[in-house]
Amino acid sequence: MARKGKLYFRYGTMGSAKTAMLLTTAYNFEERRMSYICMKPVIDNREKKNVIRSRIGIERECEWIYNDTDLYQFAVDLYNREKKIVDWYLVDEAQFLTEKQVDQLSMVVDYFGSNVICYGLRTDFKSHLFEGSRRLFEIADTIDEIKSTCTCGNKTIINARIDANGDFVEEGAQVEIGGDDRYIAVCRKCWRNKKIEQAERDILPYMPEINLKK
């Protein structure tokens, strides 16, 4: 019987334990003697070596994915070298993949029968889809949301970028690598209210004084 794999996309906001989930999954595969490989786009350069590290401190070595890496050819070369098919590919920070690379991962699933699980963000700090995430939503076999909670109790949706004062940043490049010092996950309502509050505060010094008692 031919192997049948699936392409999974598991997404959540920053701080939703996506990476910890990937590392736990890798540990479970290792315990069950299942073949797997961990991968991550090199654009996430917070680590100086090829590791996937969770906020809780656990880590595991990984293969770098460069912007020009052909992921299907990677699987072909790996098979030719090892003479066996990898059961599971675990990809962290999948939002940074190109559309073409997501298509290549789907070919790994369809032609090798491997399973590919991509973990990543859905949207950027402006609430717009990343290229890799968009393509995963379009062609993944299974899509799962990893939920987390805003300080107000609602579900987090927005990965808000913040400055040194904790204010939301609304302009800038889509990709800017950072941790808790640069991003905070909030719900849509808190994101909108904070932006309104900042706008009102910024224009207040320029408003004319009005004597309401006259």
Side-chain angles (χ1 to χ4, degrees):
M1 181 180 294
R3 294 167 57 105
K4 292 184 178 180
K6 281 188 175 183
L7 175 60
Y8 300 82
F9 182 34
R10 295 177 178 167
Y11 71 93
T13 54
M14 297 186 71
S16 59
K18 299 181 301 300
T19 299
M21 184 177 293
L22 181 155
L23 294 171
T24 300
T25 299
Y27 174 79
N28 289 335
F29 288 160
E30 195 169 276
E31 288 288 293
R32 295 156 61 187
R33 300 182 185 279
M34 300 172 69
S35 61
Y36 71 93
I37 186 167
C38 296
M39 309 185 77
K40 183 176 74 168
V42 73
I43 192 172
D44 183 1
N45 56 12
R46 284 172 289 180
E47 307 299 336
K48 300 305 180 184
K49 57 182 181 177
N50 56 320
V51 297
I52 295 173
R53 176 178 288 123
S54 169
R55 292 167 183 249
I56 62 176
I58 57 176
E59 66 178 51
R60 189 173 289 266
E61 287 190 7
C62 68
E63 293 284 341
W64 286 133
I65 300 173
Y66 297 90
N67 197 55
D68 61 351
T69 299
D70 184 325
L71 291 171
Y72 180 69
Q73 188 61 49
F74 176 89
V76 171
D77 293 342
L78 186 63
Y79 176 76
N80 289 335
R81 186 169 65 249
E82 303 292 339
K83 303 303 180 186
K84 64 179 182 180
I85 294 175
V86 175
D87 295 322
W88 295 87
Y89 288 81
L90 305 177
V91 183
D92 197 27
E93 304 290 359
Q95 72 273 7
F96 296 138
L97 297 174
T98 65
E99 179 177 333
K100 183 181 292 186
Q101 286 173 328
V102 174
D103 288 341
Q104 292 161 358
L105 287 174
S106 73
M107 293 170 62
V108 174
V109 171
D110 296 340
Y111 298 137
F112 280 94
S114 301
N115 293 285
V116 177
I117 309 180
C118 294
Y119 298 82
L121 303 175
R122 177 175 61 173
T123 57
D124 62 18
F125 73 107
K126 294 183 180 180
S127 74
H128 299 155
L129 287 168
F130 285 97
E131 178 181 346
S133 304
R134 178 185 294 109
R135 191 58 178 154
L136 283 163
F137 273 114
E138 291 169 344
I139 67 170
D141 298 298
T142 300
I143 299 172
D144 300 306
E145 182 179 12
I146 304 170
K147 298 179 180 179
S148 61
T149 305
C150 180
T151 54
C152 71
N154 290 329
K155 183 181 73 172
T156 58
I157 293 178
I158 308 295
N159 300 293
R161 184 179 294 172
I162 58 175
D163 61 19
N165 297 318
D167 287 339
F168 289 173
V169 176
E170 298 188 52
E171 299 298 332
Q174 183 182 53
V175 177
E176 182 177 321
I177 304 303
D180 295 340
D181 60 326
R182 292 297 290 145
Y183 293 94
I184 181 173
V186 294
C187 71
R188 184 178 57 249
K189 183 178 181 181
C190 287
W191 179 62
R192 181 182 295 115
N193 288 346
K194 176 72 169 177
K195 292 205 299 179
I196 292 173
E197 175 188 312
Q198 288 178 196
E200 291 177 342
R201 183 196 63 201
D202 291 342
I203 67 171
L204 189 60
Y206 305 99
M207 294 292 288
E209 292 187 10
I210 300 175
N211 189 340
L212 298 179
K213 295 182 179 180
K214 288 185 178 181

mmCIF file of all heavy atoms in Angstrom, residues 21-65:
data_model
loop_
_atom_site.group_PDB
_atom_site.id
_atom_site.type_symbol
_atom_site.label_atom_id
_atom_site.label_comp_id
_atom_site.label_asym_id
_atom_site.label_seq_id
_atom_site.Cartn_x
_atom_site.Cartn_y
_atom_site.Cartn_z
ATOM 1 N N MET A 21 5.220 23.125 21.229
ATOM 2 C CA MET A 21 4.440 22.004 20.709
ATOM 3 C C MET A 21 5.245 21.224 19.675
ATOM 4 O O MET A 21 5.229 19.993 19.651
ATOM 5 C CB MET A 21 3.137 22.519 20.097
ATOM 6 C CG MET A 21 2.195 21.436 19.620
ATOM 7 S SD MET A 21 0.637 22.107 18.981
ATOM 8 C CE MET A 21 -0.066 22.769 20.512
ATOM 9 N N LEU A 22 5.956 21.954 18.803
ATOM 10 C CA LEU A 22 6.799 21.278 17.809
ATOM 11 C C LEU A 22 7.863 20.425 18.498
ATOM 12 O O LEU A 22 8.080 19.261 18.128
ATOM 13 C CB LEU A 22 7.450 22.322 16.897
ATOM 14 C CG LEU A 22 8.368 21.830 15.772
ATOM 15 C CD1 LEU A 22 8.415 22.857 14.633
ATOM 16 C CD2 LEU A 22 9.803 21.562 16.249
ATOM 17 N N LEU A 23 8.528 21.001 19.489
ATOM 18 C CA LEU A 23 9.613 20.287 20.163
ATOM 19 C C LEU A 23 9.093 19.082 20.943
ATOM 20 O O LEU A 23 9.746 18.040 20.998
ATOM 21 C CB LEU A 23 10.362 21.248 21.085
ATOM 22 C CG LEU A 23 11.120 22.371 20.366
ATOM 23 C CD1 LEU A 23 11.652 23.392 21.360
ATOM 24 C CD2 LEU A 23 12.257 21.803 19.526
ATOM 25 N N THR A 24 7.919 19.213 21.522
ATOM 26 C CA THR A 24 7.304 18.076 22.220
ATOM 27 C C THR A 24 6.957 16.970 21.238
ATOM 28 O O THR A 24 7.144 15.780 21.514
ATOM 29 C CB THR A 24 6.041 18.532 22.966
ATOM 30 O OG1 THR A 24 6.386 19.543 23.913
ATOM 31 C CG2 THR A 24 5.395 17.366 23.696
ATOM 32 N N THR A 25 6.446 17.366 20.078
ATOM 33 C CA THR A 25 6.124 16.391 19.035
ATOM 34 C C THR A 25 7.375 15.652 18.583
ATOM 35 O O THR A 25 7.366 14.426 18.422
ATOM 36 C CB THR A 25 5.471 17.101 17.832
ATOM 37 O OG1 THR A 25 4.264 17.736 18.256
ATOM 38 C CG2 THR A 25 5.149 16.113 16.721
ATOM 39 N N ALA A 26 8.473 16.391 18.387
ATOM 40 C CA ALA A 26 9.738 15.767 17.990
ATOM 41 C C ALA A 26 10.207 14.777 19.049
ATOM 42 O O ALA A 26 10.677 13.667 18.722
ATOM 43 C CB ALA A 26 10.796 16.845 17.768
ATOM 44 N N TYR A 27 10.076 15.144 20.311
ATOM 45 C CA TYR A 27 10.469 14.248 21.407
ATOM 46 C C TYR A 27 9.638 12.965 21.380
ATOM 47 O O TYR A 27 10.166 11.852 21.540
ATOM 48 C CB TYR A 27 10.298 14.962 22.743
ATOM 49 C CG TYR A 27 10.549 14.073 23.938
ATOM 50 C CD1 TYR A 27 11.847 13.781 24.357
ATOM 51 C CD2 TYR A 27 9.492 13.508 24.651
ATOM 52 C CE1 TYR A 27 12.081 12.960 25.451
ATOM 53 C CE2 TYR A 27 9.716 12.683 25.739
ATOM 54 C CZ TYR A 27 11.008 12.410 26.136
ATOM 55 O OH TYR A 27 11.221 11.593 27.206
ATOM 56 N N ASN A 28 8.337 13.099 21.151
ATOM 57 C CA ASN A 28 7.463 11.922 21.094
ATOM 58 C C ASN A 28 7.822 11.006 19.936
ATOM 59 O O ASN A 28 7.797 9.775 20.067
ATOM 60 C CB ASN A 28 6.002 12.361 20.990
ATOM 61 C CG ASN A 28 5.484 12.972 22.271
ATOM 62 O OD1 ASN A 28 5.992 12.684 23.356
ATOM 63 N ND2 ASN A 28 4.472 13.822 22.176
ATOM 64 N N PHE A 29 8.154 11.594 18.788
ATOM 65 C CA PHE A 29 8.568 10.786 17.638
ATOM 66 C C PHE A 29 9.849 10.027 17.949
ATOM 67 O O PHE A 29 10.012 8.861 17.577
ATOM 68 C CB PHE A 29 8.782 11.667 16.408
ATOM 69 C CG PHE A 29 7.507 12.215 15.805
ATOM 70 C CD1 PHE A 29 7.531 13.330 14.979
ATOM 71 C CD2 PHE A 29 6.275 11.624 16.066
ATOM 72 C CE1 PHE A 29 6.370 13.831 14.416
ATOM 73 C CE2 PHE A 29 5.098 12.124 15.512
ATOM 74 C CZ PHE A 29 5.150 13.222 14.688
ATOM 75 N N GLU A 30 10.753 10.712 18.620
ATOM 76 C CA GLU A 30 12.023 10.092 18.990
ATOM 77 C C GLU A 30 11.801 8.916 19.932
ATOM 78 O O GLU A 30 12.419 7.850 19.780
ATOM 79 C CB GLU A 30 12.926 11.134 19.646
ATOM 80 C CG GLU A 30 14.372 10.724 19.757
ATOM 81 C CD GLU A 30 15.237 11.899 20.172
ATOM 82 O OE1 GLU A 30 15.649 12.683 19.308
ATOM 83 O OE2 GLU A 30 15.493 12.022 21.382
ATOM 84 N N GLU A 31 10.915 9.077 20.898
ATOM 85 C CA GLU A 31 10.603 8.003 21.850
ATOM 86 C C GLU A 31 9.992 6.799 21.152
ATOM 87 O O GLU A 31 10.216 5.660 21.553
ATOM 88 C CB GLU A 31 9.634 8.528 22.916
ATOM 89 C CG GLU A 31 10.251 9.484 23.915
ATOM 90 C CD GLU A 31 11.177 8.780 24.878
ATOM 91 O OE1 GLU A 31 10.688 7.972 25.690
ATOM 92 O OE2 GLU A 31 12.406 9.005 24.799
ATOM 93 N N ARG A 32 9.239 7.053 20.087
ATOM 94 C CA ARG A 32 8.568 5.973 19.346
ATOM 95 C C ARG A 32 9.400 5.489 18.169
ATOM 96 O O ARG A 32 8.930 4.701 17.353
ATOM 97 C CB ARG A 32 7.210 6.466 18.869
ATOM 98 C CG ARG A 32 6.244 6.771 20.015
ATOM 99 C CD ARG A 32 5.170 7.758 19.630
ATOM 100 N NE ARG A 32 4.330 7.282 18.546
ATOM 101 C CZ ARG A 32 3.406 8.017 17.934
ATOM 102 N NH1 ARG A 32 3.227 9.284 18.313
ATOM 103 N NH2 ARG A 32 2.690 7.519 16.967
ATOM 104 N N ARG A 33 10.640 5.969 18.067
ATOM 105 C CA ARG A 33 11.576 5.566 17.024
ATOM 106 C C ARG A 33 11.040 5.853 15.616
ATOM 107 O O ARG A 33 11.240 5.063 14.689
ATOM 108 C CB ARG A 33 11.942 4.085 17.167
ATOM 109 C CG ARG A 33 12.600 3.759 18.498
ATOM 110 C CD ARG A 33 12.992 2.287 18.583
ATOM 111 N NE ARG A 33 13.512 1.942 19.884
ATOM 112 C CZ ARG A 33 14.755 2.173 20.292
ATOM 113 N NH1 ARG A 33 15.609 2.747 19.464
ATOM 114 N NH2 ARG A 33 15.151 1.821 21.504
ATOM 115 N N MET A 34 10.357 6.955 15.482
ATOM 116 C CA MET A 34 9.867 7.389 14.176
ATOM 117 C C MET A 34 10.850 8.399 13.600
ATOM 118 O O MET A 34 11.428 9.203 14.335
ATOM 119 C CB MET A 34 8.480 8.016 14.313
ATOM 120 C CG MET A 34 7.443 7.067 14.883
ATOM 121 S SD MET A 34 5.871 7.887 15.266
ATOM 122 C CE MET A 34 5.295 8.270 13.618
ATOM 123 N N SER A 35 11.060 8.327 12.291
ATOM 124 C CA SER A 35 12.024 9.237 11.666
ATOM 125 C C SER A 35 11.392 10.608 11.455
ATOM 126 O O SER A 35 10.239 10.725 11.045
ATOM 127 C CB SER A 35 12.504 8.675 10.331
ATOM 128 O OG SER A 35 11.434 8.520 9.420
ATOM 129 N N TYR A 36 12.167 11.646 11.752
ATOM 130 C CA TYR A 36 11.667 13.013 11.616
ATOM 131 C C TYR A 36 12.854 13.940 11.382
ATOM 132 O O TYR A 36 14.012 13.582 11.619
ATOM 133 C CB TYR A 36 10.903 13.452 12.861
ATOM 134 C CG TYR A 36 11.801 13.673 14.052
ATOM 135 C CD1 TYR A 36 12.318 14.939 14.340
ATOM 136 C CD2 TYR A 36 12.167 12.605 14.885
ATOM 137 C CE1 TYR A 36 13.169 15.125 15.425
ATOM 138 C CE2 TYR A 36 13.008 12.793 15.958
ATOM 139 C CZ TYR A 36 13.499 14.049 16.225
ATOM 140 O OH TYR A 36 14.354 14.244 17.283
ATOM 141 N N ILE A 37 12.549 15.138 10.930
ATOM 142 C CA ILE A 37 13.560 16.167 10.781
ATOM 143 C C ILE A 37 12.927 17.518 11.097
ATOM 144 O O ILE A 37 11.793 17.788 10.706
ATOM 145 C CB ILE A 37 14.169 16.156 9.361
ATOM 146 C CG1 ILE A 37 15.336 17.138 9.266
ATOM 147 C CG2 ILE A 37 13.118 16.447 8.303
ATOM 148 C CD1 ILE A 37 16.167 16.949 8.002
ATOM 149 N N CYS A 38 13.639 18.340 11.856
ATOM 150 C CA CYS A 38 13.168 19.676 12.215
ATOM 151 C C CYS A 38 13.831 20.702 11.291
ATOM 152 O O CYS A 38 15.018 20.603 11.011
ATOM 153 C CB CYS A 38 13.515 20.004 13.672
ATOM 154 S SG CYS A 38 12.700 18.952 14.886
ATOM 155 N N MET A 39 13.041 21.701 10.875
ATOM 156 C CA MET A 39 13.546 22.716 9.944
ATOM 157 C C MET A 39 13.016 24.087 10.343
ATOM 158 O O MET A 39 11.966 24.195 10.978
ATOM 159 C CB MET A 39 13.116 22.385 8.514
ATOM 160 C CG MET A 39 13.417 20.968 8.069
ATOM 161 S SD MET A 39 13.032 20.657 6.321
ATOM 162 C CE MET A 39 14.441 21.460 5.535
ATOM 163 N N LYS A 40 13.758 25.126 9.933
ATOM 164 C CA LYS A 40 13.336 26.486 10.246
ATOM 165 C C LYS A 40 13.956 27.466 9.256
ATOM 166 O O LYS A 40 15.132 27.339 8.931
ATOM 167 C CB LYS A 40 13.765 26.867 11.672
ATOM 168 C CG LYS A 40 13.299 28.239 12.112
ATOM 169 C CD LYS A 40 13.660 28.528 13.571
ATOM 170 C CE LYS A 40 15.124 28.815 13.765
ATOM 171 N NZ LYS A 40 15.416 29.369 15.117
ATOM 172 N N PRO A 41 13.188 28.450 8.775
ATOM 173 C CA PRO A 41 13.776 29.481 7.907
ATOM 174 C C PRO A 41 14.895 30.229 8.612
ATOM 175 O O PRO A 41 14.762 30.626 9.766
ATOM 176 C CB PRO A 41 12.587 30.402 7.607
ATOM 177 C CG PRO A 41 11.385 29.530 7.756
ATOM 178 C CD PRO A 41 11.729 28.612 8.894
ATOM 179 N N VAL A 42 15.991 30.437 7.902
ATOM 180 C CA VAL A 42 17.159 31.082 8.496
ATOM 181 C C VAL A 42 16.892 32.556 8.766
ATOM 182 O O VAL A 42 17.642 33.197 9.515
ATOM 183 C CB VAL A 42 18.389 30.907 7.570
ATOM 184 C CG1 VAL A 42 18.268 31.780 6.343
ATOM 185 C CG2 VAL A 42 19.685 31.159 8.316
ATOM 186 N N ILE A 43 15.835 33.118 8.202
ATOM 187 C CA ILE A 43 15.506 34.530 8.439
ATOM 188 C C ILE A 43 15.259 34.806 9.913
ATOM 189 O O ILE A 43 15.475 35.914 10.403
ATOM 190 C CB ILE A 43 14.282 34.949 7.605
ATOM 191 C CG1 ILE A 43 14.115 36.474 7.628
ATOM 192 C CG2 ILE A 43 13.011 34.262 8.099
ATOM 193 C CD1 ILE A 43 13.048 36.977 6.679
ATOM 194 N N ASP A 44 14.804 33.780 10.659
ATOM 195 C CA ASP A 44 14.648 33.926 12.107
ATOM 196 C C ASP A 44 16.026 33.748 12.729
ATOM 197 O O ASP A 44 16.420 32.650 13.107
ATOM 198 C CB ASP A 44 13.661 32.888 12.651
ATOM 199 C CG ASP A 44 13.411 33.037 14.143
ATOM 200 O OD1 ASP A 44 13.989 33.955 14.755
ATOM 201 O OD2 ASP A 44 12.651 32.226 14.700
ATOM 202 N N ASN A 45 16.774 34.840 12.829
ATOM 203 C CA ASN A 45 18.192 34.779 13.196
ATOM 204 C C ASN A 45 18.464 35.101 14.660
ATOM 205 O O ASN A 45 19.565 35.519 15.009
ATOM 206 C CB ASN A 45 18.993 35.726 12.302
ATOM 207 C CG ASN A 45 18.465 37.156 12.362
ATOM 208 O OD1 ASN A 45 17.643 37.497 13.220
ATOM 209 N ND2 ASN A 45 18.933 37.999 11.461
ATOM 210 N N ARG A 46 17.466 34.906 15.501
ATOM 211 C CA ARG A 46 17.693 35.182 16.918
ATOM 212 C C ARG A 46 18.712 34.220 17.523
ATOM 213 O O ARG A 46 19.408 34.549 18.477
ATOM 214 C CB ARG A 46 16.369 35.114 17.693
ATOM 215 C CG ARG A 46 15.482 36.321 17.505
ATOM 216 C CD ARG A 46 14.120 36.124 18.127
ATOM 217 N NE ARG A 46 13.323 35.161 17.376
ATOM 218 C CZ ARG A 46 12.081 34.803 17.694
ATOM 219 N NH1 ARG A 46 11.515 35.315 18.769
ATOM 220 N NH2 ARG A 46 11.408 33.939 16.955
ATOM 221 N N GLU A 47 18.798 33.006 16.958
ATOM 222 C CA GLU A 47 19.792 32.035 17.400
ATOM 223 C C GLU A 47 20.992 32.094 16.464
ATOM 224 O O GLU A 47 20.834 32.242 15.251
ATOM 225 C CB GLU A 47 19.199 30.622 17.403
ATOM 226 C CG GLU A 47 17.897 30.492 18.191
ATOM 227 C CD GLU A 47 18.060 30.825 19.655
ATOM 228 O OE1 GLU A 47 19.198 30.716 20.160
ATOM 229 O OE2 GLU A 47 17.068 31.183 20.292
ATOM 230 N N LYS A 48 22.188 31.949 17.025
ATOM 231 C CA LYS A 48 23.397 32.009 16.211
ATOM 232 C C LYS A 48 23.768 30.648 15.633
ATOM 233 O O LYS A 48 24.687 30.539 14.830
ATOM 234 C CB LYS A 48 24.557 32.553 17.053
ATOM 235 C CG LYS A 48 24.300 33.951 17.604
ATOM 236 C CD LYS A 48 23.957 34.948 16.496
ATOM 237 C CE LYS A 48 23.715 36.324 17.056
ATOM 238 N NZ LYS A 48 23.294 37.292 16.004
ATOM 239 N N LYS A 49 23.061 29.618 16.042
ATOM 240 C CA LYS A 49 23.305 28.286 15.493
ATOM 241 C C LYS A 49 21.975 27.689 15.050
ATOM 242 O O LYS A 49 20.902 28.232 15.352
ATOM 243 C CB LYS A 49 23.989 27.390 16.533
ATOM 244 C CG LYS A 49 23.231 27.247 17.844
ATOM 245 C CD LYS A 49 23.998 26.379 18.818
ATOM 246 C CE LYS A 49 23.223 26.226 20.135
ATOM 247 N NZ LYS A 49 23.915 25.317 21.073
ATOM 248 N N ASN A 50 22.056 26.587 14.342
ATOM 249 C CA ASN A 50 20.852 25.985 13.764
ATOM 250 C C ASN A 50 20.068 25.190 14.808
ATOM 251 O O ASN A 50 20.103 23.958 14.855
ATOM 252 C CB ASN A 50 21.219 25.091 12.577
ATOM 253 C CG ASN A 50 22.227 24.009 12.936
ATOM 254 O OD1 ASN A 50 23.165 24.248 13.689
ATOM 255 N ND2 ASN A 50 22.033 22.824 12.403
ATOM 256 N N VAL A 51 19.333 25.921 15.630
ATOM 257 C CA VAL A 51 18.482 25.282 16.633
ATOM 258 C C VAL A 51 17.101 25.935 16.631
ATOM 259 O O VAL A 51 16.947 27.094 16.261
ATOM 260 C CB VAL A 51 19.074 25.369 18.062
ATOM 261 C CG1 VAL A 51 20.389 24.631 18.154
ATOM 262 C CG2 VAL A 51 19.205 26.807 18.515
ATOM 263 N N ILE A 52 16.127 25.139 17.033
ATOM 264 C CA ILE A 52 14.792 25.647 17.330
ATOM 265 C C ILE A 52 14.685 25.697 18.840
ATOM 266 O O ILE A 52 14.868 24.681 19.509
ATOM 267 C CB ILE A 52 13.700 24.735 16.737
ATOM 268 C CG1 ILE A 52 13.766 24.753 15.207
ATOM 269 C CG2 ILE A 52 12.316 25.166 17.220
ATOM 270 C CD1 ILE A 52 12.828 23.757 14.545
ATOM 271 N N ARG A 53 14.425 26.878 19.381
ATOM 272 C CA ARG A 53 14.375 27.037 20.834
ATOM 273 C C ARG A 53 13.033 27.627 21.247
ATOM 274 O O ARG A 53 12.566 28.604 20.669
ATOM 275 C CB ARG A 53 15.515 27.930 21.329
ATOM 276 C CG ARG A 53 15.447 28.201 22.835
ATOM 277 C CD ARG A 53 16.607 29.044 23.330
ATOM 278 N NE ARG A 53 17.848 28.294 23.336
ATOM 279 C CZ ARG A 53 18.956 28.649 22.693
ATOM 280 N NH1 ARG A 53 18.970 29.746 21.978
ATOM 281 N NH2 ARG A 53 20.046 27.919 22.771
ATOM 282 N N SER A 54 12.445 27.043 22.272
ATOM 283 C CA SER A 54 11.183 27.536 22.806
ATOM 284 C C SER A 54 11.427 28.571 23.889
ATOM 285 O O SER A 54 12.506 28.625 24.492
ATOM 286 C CB SER A 54 10.369 26.365 23.384
ATOM 287 O OG SER A 54 9.267 26.832 24.125
ATOM 288 N N ARG A 55 10.416 29.378 24.163
ATOM 289 C CA ARG A 55 10.500 30.368 25.239
ATOM 290 C C ARG A 55 10.700 29.718 26.603
ATOM 291 O O ARG A 55 11.195 30.354 27.524
ATOM 292 C CB ARG A 55 9.222 31.215 25.278
ATOM 293 C CG ARG A 55 9.044 32.124 24.071
ATOM 294 C CD ARG A 55 7.630 32.667 24.026
ATOM 295 N NE ARG A 55 7.401 33.489 22.844
ATOM 296 C CZ ARG A 55 7.212 34.789 22.851
ATOM 297 N NH1 ARG A 55 7.209 35.442 23.994
ATOM 298 N NH2 ARG A 55 7.007 35.453 21.737
ATOM 299 N N ILE A 56 10.287 28.446 26.723
ATOM 300 C CA ILE A 56 10.424 27.768 28.010
ATOM 301 C C ILE A 56 11.801 27.147 28.186
ATOM 302 O O ILE A 56 12.069 26.520 29.206
ATOM 303 C CB ILE A 56 9.328 26.706 28.203
ATOM 304 C CG1 ILE A 56 9.424 25.615 27.123
ATOM 305 C CG2 ILE A 56 7.952 27.337 28.198
ATOM 306 C CD1 ILE A 56 8.412 24.488 27.321
ATOM 307 N N GLY A 57 12.677 27.305 27.176
ATOM 308 C CA GLY A 57 14.073 26.925 27.355
ATOM 309 C C GLY A 57 14.511 25.643 26.674
ATOM 310 O O GLY A 57 15.712 25.358 26.625
ATOM 311 N N ILE A 58 13.596 24.844 26.137
ATOM 312 C CA ILE A 58 14.004 23.614 25.466
ATOM 313 C C ILE A 58 14.382 23.921 24.021
ATOM 314 O O ILE A 58 13.893 24.878 23.424
ATOM 315 C CB ILE A 58 12.891 22.544 25.517
ATOM 316 C CG1 ILE A 58 11.590 23.072 24.904
ATOM 317 C CG2 ILE A 58 12.663 22.088 26.946
ATOM 318 C CD1 ILE A 58 10.488 22.028 24.849
ATOM 319 N N GLU A 59 15.277 23.099 23.458
ATOM 320 C CA GLU A 59 15.735 23.351 22.104
ATOM 321 C C GLU A 59 16.105 22.043 21.419
ATOM 322 O O GLU A 59 16.271 21.002 22.055
ATOM 323 C CB GLU A 59 16.936 24.301 22.095
ATOM 324 C CG GLU A 59 18.177 23.719 22.746
ATOM 325 C CD GLU A 59 19.360 24.672 22.676
ATOM 326 O OE1 GLU A 59 19.199 25.858 23.061
ATOM 327 O OE2 GLU A 59 20.441 24.227 22.229
ATOM 328 N N ARG A 60 16.252 22.126 20.105
ATOM 329 C CA ARG A 60 16.631 20.960 19.307
ATOM 330 C C ARG A 60 17.296 21.452 18.018
ATOM 331 O O ARG A 60 16.894 22.482 17.470
ATOM 332 C CB ARG A 60 15.391 20.119 18.990
ATOM 333 C CG ARG A 60 15.679 18.770 18.359
ATOM 334 C CD ARG A 60 14.392 17.960 18.253
ATOM 335 N NE ARG A 60 13.926 17.520 19.559
ATOM 336 C CZ ARG A 60 14.218 16.343 20.106
ATOM 337 N NH1 ARG A 60 14.988 15.500 19.451
ATOM 338 N NH2 ARG A 60 13.741 16.004 21.282
ATOM 339 N N GLU A 61 18.289 20.724 17.556
ATOM 340 C CA GLU A 61 18.958 21.112 16.317
ATOM 341 C C GLU A 61 17.995 21.001 15.141
ATOM 342 O O GLU A 61 17.070 20.189 15.139
ATOM 343 C CB GLU A 61 20.188 20.224 16.071
ATOM 344 C CG GLU A 61 21.350 20.524 16.980
ATOM 345 C CD GLU A 61 22.611 19.799 16.549
ATOM 346 O OE1 GLU A 61 22.597 19.164 15.464
ATOM 347 O OE2 GLU A 61 23.605 19.864 17.279
ATOM 348 N N CYS A 62 18.246 21.835 14.126
ATOM 349 C CA CYS A 62 17.364 21.824 12.962
ATOM 350 C C CYS A 62 18.178 22.082 11.697
ATOM 351 O O CYS A 62 19.352 22.437 11.756
ATOM 352 C CB CYS A 62 16.278 22.887 13.104
ATOM 353 S SG CYS A 62 16.896 24.589 13.038
ATOM 354 N N GLU A 63 17.515 21.916 10.570
ATOM 355 C CA GLU A 63 18.088 22.263 9.278
ATOM 356 C C GLU A 63 17.626 23.667 8.920
ATOM 357 O O GLU A 63 16.446 23.989 9.059
ATOM 358 C CB GLU A 63 17.617 21.275 8.202
ATOM 359 C CG GLU A 63 18.132 19.858 8.374
ATOM 360 C CD GLU A 63 19.597 19.728 7.968
ATOM 361 O OE1 GLU A 63 20.084 20.611 7.229
ATOM 362 O OE2 GLU A 63 20.226 18.746 8.380
ATOM 363 N N TRP A 64 18.553 24.514 8.447
ATOM 364 C CA TRP A 64 18.173 25.839 7.997
ATOM 365 C C TRP A 64 17.437 25.760 6.666
ATOM 366 O O TRP A 64 17.777 24.971 5.791
ATOM 367 C CB TRP A 64 19.396 26.721 7.786
ATOM 368 C CG TRP A 64 20.114 27.246 8.990
ATOM 369 C CD1 TRP A 64 21.455 27.225 9.207
ATOM 370 C CD2 TRP A 64 19.557 27.925 10.125
ATOM 371 N NE1 TRP A 64 21.774 27.839 10.399
ATOM 372 C CE2 TRP A 64 20.624 28.275 10.986
ATOM 373 C CE3 TRP A 64 18.259 28.259 10.499
ATOM 374 C CZ2 TRP A 64 20.445 28.945 12.188
ATOM 375 C CZ3 TRP A 64 18.063 28.924 11.691
ATOM 376 C CH2 TRP A 64 19.134 29.266 12.523
ATOM 377 N N ILE A 65 16.428 26.604 6.501
ATOM 378 C CA ILE A 65 15.765 26.784 5.211
ATOM 379 C C ILE A 65 16.126 28.175 4.719
ATOM 380 O O ILE A 65 15.768 29.177 5.350
ATOM 381 C CB ILE A 65 14.233 26.656 5.330
ATOM 382 C CG1 ILE A 65 13.843 25.272 5.862
ATOM 383 C CG2 ILE A 65 13.569 26.907 3.980
ATOM 384 C CD1 ILE A 65 12.348 25.135 6.156
#
